[in-house]
mmCIF file with all atom_site columns, all heavy atoms in Angstrom:
data_model
loop_
_atom_site.group_PDB
_atom_site.id
_atom_site.type_symbol
_atom_site.label_atom_id
_atom_site.label_alt_id
_atom_site.label_comp_id
_atom_site.label_asym_id
_atom_site.label_entity_id
_atom_site.label_seq_id
_atom_site.pdbx_PDB_ins_code
_atom_site.Cartn_x
_atom_site.Cartn_y
_atom_site.Cartn_z
_atom_site.occupancy
_atom_site.B_iso_or_equiv
_atom_site.pdbx_formal_charge
_atom_site.auth_seq_id
_atom_site.auth_comp_id
_atom_site.auth_asym_id
_atom_site.auth_atom_id
_atom_site.pdbx_PDB_model_num
ATOM 1  N N   . LEU A 1 177 ? -6.662  -0.643 -16.534 1.00 0.00 ? 462 LEU A N   1
ATOM 2  C CA  . LEU A 1 177 ? -7.488  -1.386 -15.580 1.00 0.00 ? 462 LEU A CA  1
ATOM 3  C C   . LEU A 1 177 ? -7.908  -0.501 -14.414 1.00 0.00 ? 462 LEU A C   1
ATOM 4  O O   . LEU A 1 177 ? -9.056  -0.573 -13.954 1.00 0.00 ? 462 LEU A O   1
ATOM 5  C CB  . LEU A 1 177 ? -6.714  -2.607 -15.077 1.00 0.00 ? 462 LEU A CB  1
ATOM 6  C CG  . LEU A 1 177 ? -7.465  -3.547 -14.130 1.00 0.00 ? 462 LEU A CG  1
ATOM 7  C CD1 . LEU A 1 177 ? -8.684  -4.150 -14.826 1.00 0.00 ? 462 LEU A CD1 1
ATOM 8  C CD2 . LEU A 1 177 ? -6.531  -4.649 -13.628 1.00 0.00 ? 462 LEU A CD2 1
ATOM 9  N N   . PHE A 1 178 ? -7.005  0.340  -13.934 1.00 0.00 ? 463 PHE A N   1
ATOM 10 C CA  . PHE A 1 178 ? -7.318  1.216  -12.809 1.00 0.00 ? 463 PHE A CA  1
ATOM 11 C C   . PHE A 1 178 ? -8.450  2.174  -13.183 1.00 0.00 ? 463 PHE A C   1
ATOM 12 O O   . PHE A 1 178 ? -9.425  2.330  -12.436 1.00 0.00 ? 463 PHE A O   1
ATOM 13 C CB  . PHE A 1 178 ? -6.072  2.006  -12.389 1.00 0.00 ? 463 PHE A CB  1
ATOM 14 C CG  . PHE A 1 178 ? -6.184  2.650  -11.039 1.00 0.00 ? 463 PHE A CG  1
ATOM 15 C CD1 . PHE A 1 178 ? -5.581  2.078  -9.926  1.00 0.00 ? 463 PHE A CD1 1
ATOM 16 C CD2 . PHE A 1 178 ? -6.884  3.840  -10.864 1.00 0.00 ? 463 PHE A CD2 1
ATOM 17 C CE1 . PHE A 1 178 ? -5.682  2.667  -8.666  1.00 0.00 ? 463 PHE A CE1 1
ATOM 18 C CE2 . PHE A 1 178 ? -6.990  4.430  -9.621  1.00 0.00 ? 463 PHE A CE2 1
ATOM 19 C CZ  . PHE A 1 178 ? -6.390  3.843  -8.520  1.00 0.00 ? 463 PHE A CZ  1
ATOM 20 N N   . ALA A 1 179 ? -8.337  2.798  -14.326 1.00 0.00 ? 464 ALA A N   1
ATOM 21 C CA  . ALA A 1 179 ? -9.363  3.753  -14.757 1.00 0.00 ? 464 ALA A CA  1
ATOM 22 C C   . ALA A 1 179 ? -10.710 3.069  -14.946 1.00 0.00 ? 464 ALA A C   1
ATOM 23 O O   . ALA A 1 179 ? -11.762 3.608  -14.562 1.00 0.00 ? 464 ALA A O   1
ATOM 24 C CB  . ALA A 1 179 ? -8.930  4.444  -16.042 1.00 0.00 ? 464 ALA A CB  1
ATOM 25 N N   . ALA A 1 180 ? -10.705 1.872  -15.525 1.00 0.00 ? 465 ALA A N   1
ATOM 26 C CA  . ALA A 1 180 ? -11.965 1.165  -15.773 1.00 0.00 ? 465 ALA A CA  1
ATOM 27 C C   . ALA A 1 180 ? -12.599 0.671  -14.482 1.00 0.00 ? 465 ALA A C   1
ATOM 28 O O   . ALA A 1 180 ? -13.826 0.619  -14.373 1.00 0.00 ? 465 ALA A O   1
ATOM 29 C CB  . ALA A 1 180 ? -11.708 -0.016 -16.711 1.00 0.00 ? 465 ALA A CB  1
ATOM 30 N N   . THR A 1 181 ? -11.781 0.311  -13.491 1.00 0.00 ? 466 THR A N   1
ATOM 31 C CA  . THR A 1 181 ? -12.294 -0.286 -12.258 1.00 0.00 ? 466 THR A CA  1
ATOM 32 C C   . THR A 1 181 ? -12.623 0.758  -11.195 1.00 0.00 ? 466 THR A C   1
ATOM 33 O O   . THR A 1 181 ? -13.674 0.696  -10.546 1.00 0.00 ? 466 THR A O   1
ATOM 34 C CB  . THR A 1 181 ? -11.270 -1.292 -11.694 1.00 0.00 ? 466 THR A CB  1
ATOM 35 O OG1 . THR A 1 181 ? -10.946 -2.257 -12.701 1.00 0.00 ? 466 THR A OG1 1
ATOM 36 C CG2 . THR A 1 181 ? -11.812 -2.000 -10.470 1.00 0.00 ? 466 THR A CG2 1
ATOM 37 N N   . VAL A 1 182 ? -11.724 1.713  -11.010 1.00 0.00 ? 467 VAL A N   1
ATOM 38 C CA  . VAL A 1 182 ? -11.884 2.717  -9.948  1.00 0.00 ? 467 VAL A CA  1
ATOM 39 C C   . VAL A 1 182 ? -12.627 3.956  -10.445 1.00 0.00 ? 467 VAL A C   1
ATOM 40 O O   . VAL A 1 182 ? -13.254 4.675  -9.665  1.00 0.00 ? 467 VAL A O   1
ATOM 41 C CB  . VAL A 1 182 ? -10.506 3.082  -9.350  1.00 0.00 ? 467 VAL A CB  1
ATOM 42 C CG1 . VAL A 1 182 ? -10.633 4.094  -8.221  1.00 0.00 ? 467 VAL A CG1 1
ATOM 43 C CG2 . VAL A 1 182 ? -9.804  1.816  -8.837  1.00 0.00 ? 467 VAL A CG2 1
ATOM 44 N N   . GLY A 1 183 ? -12.548 4.218  -11.758 1.00 0.00 ? 468 GLY A N   1
ATOM 45 C CA  . GLY A 1 183 ? -13.274 5.346  -12.309 1.00 0.00 ? 468 GLY A CA  1
ATOM 46 C C   . GLY A 1 183 ? -12.474 6.618  -12.417 1.00 0.00 ? 468 GLY A C   1
ATOM 47 O O   . GLY A 1 183 ? -13.030 7.681  -12.732 1.00 0.00 ? 468 GLY A O   1
ATOM 48 N N   . GLU A 1 184 ? -11.177 6.564  -12.163 1.00 0.00 ? 469 GLU A N   1
ATOM 49 C CA  . GLU A 1 184 ? -10.286 7.711  -12.326 1.00 0.00 ? 469 GLU A CA  1
ATOM 50 C C   . GLU A 1 184 ? -8.875  7.184  -12.521 1.00 0.00 ? 469 GLU A C   1
ATOM 51 O O   . GLU A 1 184 ? -8.608  6.004  -12.320 1.00 0.00 ? 469 GLU A O   1
ATOM 52 C CB  . GLU A 1 184 ? -10.358 8.660  -11.127 1.00 0.00 ? 469 GLU A CB  1
ATOM 53 C CG  . GLU A 1 184 ? -10.086 8.019  -9.773  1.00 0.00 ? 469 GLU A CG  1
ATOM 54 C CD  . GLU A 1 184 ? -10.442 8.945  -8.625  1.00 0.00 ? 469 GLU A CD  1
ATOM 55 O OE1 . GLU A 1 184 ? -10.083 10.136 -8.659  1.00 0.00 ? 469 GLU A OE1 1
ATOM 56 O OE2 . GLU A 1 184 ? -11.089 8.470  -7.679  1.00 0.00 ? 469 GLU A OE2 1
ATOM 57 N N   . THR A 1 185 ? -7.963  8.065  -12.907 1.00 0.00 ? 470 THR A N   1
ATOM 58 C CA  . THR A 1 185 ? -6.593  7.627  -13.120 1.00 0.00 ? 470 THR A CA  1
ATOM 59 C C   . THR A 1 185 ? -5.907  7.392  -11.779 1.00 0.00 ? 470 THR A C   1
ATOM 60 O O   . THR A 1 185 ? -6.338  7.917  -10.746 1.00 0.00 ? 470 THR A O   1
ATOM 61 C CB  . THR A 1 185 ? -5.801  8.694  -13.891 1.00 0.00 ? 470 THR A CB  1
ATOM 62 O OG1 . THR A 1 185 ? -5.684  9.869  -13.063 1.00 0.00 ? 470 THR A OG1 1
ATOM 63 C CG2 . THR A 1 185 ? -6.492  9.055  -15.204 1.00 0.00 ? 470 THR A CG2 1
ATOM 64 N N   . PRO A 1 186 ? -4.828  6.610  -11.768 1.00 0.00 ? 471 PRO A N   1
ATOM 65 C CA  . PRO A 1 186 ? -4.106  6.415  -10.510 1.00 0.00 ? 471 PRO A CA  1
ATOM 66 C C   . PRO A 1 186 ? -3.637  7.731  -9.889  1.00 0.00 ? 471 PRO A C   1
ATOM 67 O O   . PRO A 1 186 ? -3.781  7.938  -8.680  1.00 0.00 ? 471 PRO A O   1
ATOM 68 C CB  . PRO A 1 186 ? -2.924  5.528  -10.920 1.00 0.00 ? 471 PRO A CB  1
ATOM 69 C CG  . PRO A 1 186 ? -3.391  4.816  -12.138 1.00 0.00 ? 471 PRO A CG  1
ATOM 70 C CD  . PRO A 1 186 ? -4.274  5.773  -12.855 1.00 0.00 ? 471 PRO A CD  1
ATOM 71 N N   . MET A 1 187 ? -3.086  8.643  -10.691 1.00 0.00 ? 472 MET A N   1
ATOM 72 C CA  . MET A 1 187 ? -2.619  9.916  -10.156 1.00 0.00 ? 472 MET A CA  1
ATOM 73 C C   . MET A 1 187 ? -3.794  10.778 -9.698  1.00 0.00 ? 472 MET A C   1
ATOM 74 O O   . MET A 1 187 ? -3.689  11.514 -8.716  1.00 0.00 ? 472 MET A O   1
ATOM 75 C CB  . MET A 1 187 ? -1.796  10.666 -11.209 1.00 0.00 ? 472 MET A CB  1
ATOM 76 C CG  . MET A 1 187 ? -0.433  10.056 -11.480 1.00 0.00 ? 472 MET A CG  1
ATOM 77 S SD  . MET A 1 187 ? 0.678   10.069 -10.015 1.00 0.00 ? 472 MET A SD  1
ATOM 78 C CE  . MET A 1 187 ? 0.655   8.318  -9.578  1.00 0.00 ? 472 MET A CE  1
ATOM 79 N N   . GLY A 1 188 ? -4.927  10.664 -10.393 1.00 0.00 ? 473 GLY A N   1
ATOM 80 C CA  . GLY A 1 188 ? -6.114  11.392 -9.963  1.00 0.00 ? 473 GLY A CA  1
ATOM 81 C C   . GLY A 1 188 ? -6.594  10.911 -8.604  1.00 0.00 ? 473 GLY A C   1
ATOM 82 O O   . GLY A 1 188 ? -6.950  11.721 -7.735  1.00 0.00 ? 473 GLY A O   1
ATOM 83 N N   . TYR A 1 189 ? -6.605  9.596  -8.399  1.00 0.00 ? 474 TYR A N   1
ATOM 84 C CA  . TYR A 1 189 ? -7.020  9.070  -7.100  1.00 0.00 ? 474 TYR A CA  1
ATOM 85 C C   . TYR A 1 189 ? -6.018  9.459  -6.014  1.00 0.00 ? 474 TYR A C   1
ATOM 86 O O   . TYR A 1 189 ? -6.412  9.835  -4.894  1.00 0.00 ? 474 TYR A O   1
ATOM 87 C CB  . TYR A 1 189 ? -7.183  7.544  -7.137  1.00 0.00 ? 474 TYR A CB  1
ATOM 88 C CG  . TYR A 1 189 ? -7.612  7.032  -5.783  1.00 0.00 ? 474 TYR A CG  1
ATOM 89 C CD1 . TYR A 1 189 ? -8.932  7.183  -5.360  1.00 0.00 ? 474 TYR A CD1 1
ATOM 90 C CD2 . TYR A 1 189 ? -6.695  6.474  -4.896  1.00 0.00 ? 474 TYR A CD2 1
ATOM 91 C CE1 . TYR A 1 189 ? -9.316  6.778  -4.091  1.00 0.00 ? 474 TYR A CE1 1
ATOM 92 C CE2 . TYR A 1 189 ? -7.080  6.071  -3.635  1.00 0.00 ? 474 TYR A CE2 1
ATOM 93 C CZ  . TYR A 1 189 ? -8.393  6.225  -3.236  1.00 0.00 ? 474 TYR A CZ  1
ATOM 94 O OH  . TYR A 1 189 ? -8.773  5.828  -1.969  1.00 0.00 ? 474 TYR A OH  1
#
Side-chain angles (χ1 to χ4, degrees):
L462 184 62
F463 195 101
T466 305
V467 181
E469 55 191 314
T470 66
M472 288 297 107
Y474 180 77

